[in-house]
Amino acid sequence: MAALTEMVVHDSARHPPGKASAGRSAMARQESLAAYLFLSPALLFFGVFLVLPFLFALVLAVSDWSGFDLGTIRWAGLDNFADVLKPDGAFVKPILVNTLLFAFGSVALATAGSLLVASCIDRLRFQGFWRVLYFLPVVATVVAIGNIWKMMYQPAGLINGLLNKLGVNSVGFLSDPHLALPAVTVVHAWASIGGAVLILIAGLKAIDGTYYEAAEVDGANSWQMFWQITLPLLRPSLLFVLITQFIGGLQSFALIIVMTTDGGPVNATNVAAFEMYQQAFKFGAWGTASAMAMVLFVVIFLITLLQLWIARRKGEETS
Amino acid sequence: MRARRRSRFPWFSYLVVIAGGVAMVMPFLDMVMSSFKGAGEYGVLPYQLLPNSFDLANYRAAFDQLDLLRLFRNSVIVTVAVTVSVLVTSSMAGYALAKLRFRGRAIIFRFILATMMLPPFLLLIPDFLIMLNWPLVGGNDVLGRGGDGGLTTSIVSLILPFAVSGFGIFLMRQFMVSLPDEMLEAARIDGANQWQTWRLIVLPQTRPVAITLGLITFIGMWNEYIWTLLISSSNPDLMTLPVGIQLLQSFLDPDRTMPIVMAGLVISTLPVLAIFLVFQKYYVRGVVLSGLK
């Protein structure tokens, strides 16, 4: 995002203010009026559906309020946060821990998988076909993905069918508290590989082929080329994939609703955004839920900063 | 081309990509096959991928018991409305930010970038409460009719929160910056006002990026789940395909719930899959555009 903002600033510098002459000021005024008219739908929207709700969310997080009558709203200070973060509550452990495991697990699987697949596709013919194949889950609704995998995980489903063929007894993937979280994590990774593959292939294409030619002349094998050339030069794309997938993984809960209905068995698959959703819309605990949302927001923010920081330090080491 | 340079056949790459490809396609194959399975065929051991016959009974049941046509209609209304709205508002705002000079442009652009960083879950609760208390439609007591549920009883509530996209504005703006200024200058000299310049000169040029943005928006909205689930769990009339198929499962024939669900999912996936396959080049470009830079 920092690079993005930088680019933007350079772009706007491309239009220096025109030579100020008396006749032009009326035109400039008209141009600025037109600009604001063009922007008005967007600005109005962001005011009502972004700024206002964001402030409202901040207020709710420090309020004690349930039900729908705004007259009964009370200042609660940091009580909601104390309540949410208390050590014997369920939010920190297992829910926040689950959130991190779910995000880490799916990002690790999806990134490793997409890196492998992208660098393999890059060597094949019919790349367009392979790309589309891996992208299919991105086009499907989460309801389709969730239900299909729920079906495949069933004792008489496809996966257990394969296990049975190998002589292994059926496993209750979604009913075993130890297996349920890994099971949904795998599905989330499976569904997000396609997007990462696209971005990584584009990143691979941008690497200058002469590096590989030079390395080949020097007698490097494919393994060395991958570690010494591909990986360092792919870093910007890889970082983008990591950051966006992490942000996505930390807040994603649609798949978990579809596959487990309530984050069960017994909170085994419950994640922070889902708990927020349930607190708010099942129990009407707006304050508690909003405090949870803020905690998750801060966690996402910190992890993103951490990733950027690590990436920058790594960058200084290599360059 | 690096591929040509390598003399050996890339057997390892083929192995990886094909094995992975099978893992990507198998679940969808299982969905299609299960959608044909009868009452005694599904959920029994040993597992069989293929159904005994390709009977359409589950598809008929999906139309009857899930009221698929109504879900389909809602999905189309919401998706088309949001897509049109995002295209229009993004190209308008993008034009102003790319080509017009005015005070506050840099700040507004930065604000739009910042909107893309706000995670949607954070706005879920306040957005819902805002919809519930929307004035003049029964949300509050301004001009009477308070407490009717505000906008949450109307399909408008499924459209409004998605009507403008920060990403869309960003995408349009980036594209329009590269349009030659001379072209716009010429239109102005010919007497076109800003609106006409946007409508007649700029819009036709933005076709490729408009297709990309339209496609991303369309597919995203067709599959939207959380917000629609929230709004329509109290108003079943507003259910779209994904939400309806998920929430109406308990009303299905218990002997073959999953096969009927799979039939519904096949039907709901087909239109968006067809659109994706036809325009996939544009979609791929959009994902890449958002990823590089």
Side-chain angles (χ1 to χ4, degrees), chain B:
Chain B
M1 274 267 87
R2 281 205 306 288
R4 213 180 305 137
R5 193 175 44 76
R6 286 169 212 272
S7 46
R8 280 180 301 131
F9 182 74
W11 61 268
F12 176 75
S13 296
Y14 268 109
L15 197 73
V16 169
V17 172
I18 290 175
V22 169
M24 298 318 276
V25 172
M26 243 357 234
F28 292 108
L29 196 66
D30 197 25
M31 164 176 84
V32 174
M33 292 308 166
S34 299
S35 74
F36 294 107
K37 287 181 182 169
E41 278 180 86
Y42 174 79
V44 287
L45 287 165
Y47 170 84
Q48 294 240 310
L49 179 64
L50 294 175
N52 289 338
S53 71
F54 286 91
D55 183 41
L56 290 175
N58 294 323
Y59 286 83
R60 278 192 293 273
F63 273 96
D64 292 346
Q65 299 175 26
L66 290 174
D67 203 354
L68 222 47
L69 285 177
R70 184 175 55 96
L71 303 178
F72 207 93
R73 200 197 59 201
N74 285 344
S75 275
V76 169
I77 293 174
V78 171
T79 307
V80 170
V82 168
T83 307
V84 170
S85 167
V86 163
L87 283 176
V88 172
T89 55
S90 300
S91 57
M92 279 169 67
Y95 173 60
L97 291 170
K99 288 299 178 194
L100 299 181
R101 271 162 288 180
F102 58 97
R103 203 186 270 260
R105 181 167 78 170
I107 295 173
I108 291 180
F109 190 48
R110 263 179 222 194
F111 169 74
I112 303 247
L113 290 180
T115 65
M116 289 158 60
M117 283 184 271
L118 213 54
F121 73 86
L122 196 62
L123 304 179
L124 208 56
I125 296 170
D127 271 353
F128 180 75
L129 293 172
I130 286 172
M131 284 297 175
L132 203 60
N133 292 291
W134 198 270
L136 302 182
V137 289
N140 57 26
D141 284 328
V142 183
L143 303 185
R145 295 179 58 208
D148 290 357
L151 268 186
T152 60
T153 54
S154 154
I155 198 160
V156 173
S157 63
L158 299 184
I159 298 165
L160 259 187
F162 303 98
V164 175
S165 148
F167 168 71
I169 296 174
F170 172 70
L171 204 64
M172 280 289 180
R173 187 257 178 208
Q174 294 309 86
F175 183 83
M176 287 175 176
V177 159
S178 61
L179 294 178
D181 283 328
E182 293 77 23
M183 198 175 66
L184 307 182
E185 207 58 52
R188 230 159 284 169
I189 288 166
D190 287 346
N193 62 29
Q194 294 293 355
W195 177 262
Q196 288 164 328
T197 311
W198 172 75
R199 175 72 195 75
L200 301 171
I201 310 292
V202 175
L203 270 198
Q205 301 283 328
T206 58
R207 225 178 83 108
V209 74
I211 296 179
T212 300
L213 177 59
L215 207 59
I216 291 179
T217 312
F218 189 95
I219 294 179
M221 270 325 285
W222 188 264
N223 294 336
E224 203 288 322
Y225 187 64
I226 296 291
W227 177 256
T228 312
L229 174 74
L230 183 57
I231 295 290
S232 57
S233 42
S234 50
N235 294 287
D237 287 347
L238 301 182
M239 284 177 186
T240 56
L241 278 166
V243 175
I245 292 174
Q246 185 63 24
L247 292 189
L248 299 176
Q249 286 190 19
S250 45
F251 300 107
L252 297 174
D253 182 349
D255 288 336
R256 46 191 186 121
T257 303
M258 264 312 192
I260 298 175
V261 166
M262 289 302 139
L265 288 172
V266 169
I267 291 171
S268 78
T269 309
L270 281 181
V272 72
L273 184 66
I275 289 175
F276 170 70
L277 289 179
V278 172
F279 293 106
Q280 54 104 358
K281 247 186 211 151
Y282 291 93
Y283 197 108
V284 167
R285 207 184 43 196
V287 174
V288 171
L289 266 178
S290 66
L292 301 179
K293 303 280 169 179

Side-chain angles (χ1 to χ4, degrees), chain A residues 80-100 262-263 265-276 278-279 283 288 292 295:
Chain A
N80 291 328
F81 289 93
D83 196 31
V84 163
L85 295 174
K86 68 173 180 247
D88 54 335
F91 188 71
V92 175
K93 196 178 180 302
I95 293 170
L96 216 47
V97 174
N98 284 346
T99 314
L100 291 174
D262 60 352
V266 220
N267 272 344
T269 56
N270 202 354
V271 290
F274 189 21
E275 179 66 8
M276 174 211 85
Q278 303 225 67
Q279 286 294 334
F283 308 117
T288 312
M292 288 173 175
V295 170

